[in-house]
Amino acid sequence: MTGPIPNDIACEILDEILTFSFKYELLLIDQFLYDYPPSPLPSDPAEVSMDSSLDLELGEVVDDLSAPTRARRFQKLISSVPGLQEGRMGFGSPDNSLRQEAVFSLYRIMTGWGFSYSFPLAARPVLDALAPVHRPSATELDQAEDAIAHHYIASFTDFFRRAPIIPHAS
């Protein structure tokens, strides 16, 4: 192929790079900011498996995203955000239900970050309204997404001293 790359192909490549970068950075920041529950670890690393029963053996499970090890947290985090494995996340989606699910998942992930700022008290009602049993209005969803984005960017920037890659609508 000679000549310039067509715009649609260039946009698709850029979208893939940005999506991968966001996923990598989310896993990376979570690794540092997640407050792992104190628990005795097996002396032999071969004893650590990806089995869900490991949570009960190694520490208290507070919710379905709690994990006693990085490997378990990684596995749970990947499966908690819709589309994170497939690369088609709901952030910025025109589909409000997919967007609500993605933003609420990120909110749940970040509530486990014990080594980060707390969410502002004023934002909590808006964020709690993202729970799957609610159907927030488009305005409420925008407000919640703004609060999540602000918290994510502030936490990431405070720790890594640079801005993160964030998903957006193209």
Side-chain angles (χ1 to χ4, degrees), residues 51-123:
D51 183 34
S52 61
S53 64
L54 182 65
D55 291 343
L56 299 175
E57 296 168 13
L58 295 179
E60 179 185 354
V61 176
V62 178
D63 63 30
D64 61 332
L65 290 179
S66 293
T69 64
R70 285 184 180 174
R72 285 291 294 144
R73 175 70 176 181
F74 174 84
Q75 182 184 27
K76 289 180 173 191
L77 191 134
I78 287 291
S79 63
S80 72
V81 178
L84 194 59
Q85 288 178 316
E86 301 84 22
R88 293 288 168 237
M89 297 170 289
F91 303 108
S93 172
D95 178 353
N96 280 346
S97 63
L98 179 61
R99 192 168 140 222
Q100 174 186 355
E101 191 178 350
V103 172
F104 185 67
S105 296
L106 188 55
Y107 169 56
R108 289 184 55 236
I109 289 167
M110 292 190 302
T111 56
W113 291 357
F115 302 106
S116 176
Y117 302 110
S118 296
F119 282 99
L121 290 177

Side-chain angles (χ1 to χ4, degrees), residues 7 41 43 48-49 53 67 94-95 104 126 151 154 164:
N7 282 346
L41 293 175
S43 56
V48 176
S49 71
S53 64
D95 178 353
F104 185 67
V126 173
H151 185 72

Side-chain angles (χ1 to χ4, degrees), residues 10-20 87-88 168 170:
C11 287
E12 191 173 327
I13 291 169
L14 207 55
D15 185 54
E16 286 294 320
I17 291 169
L18 294 174
T19 299
F20 177 80
R88 293 288 168 237
H168 62 284
S170 24

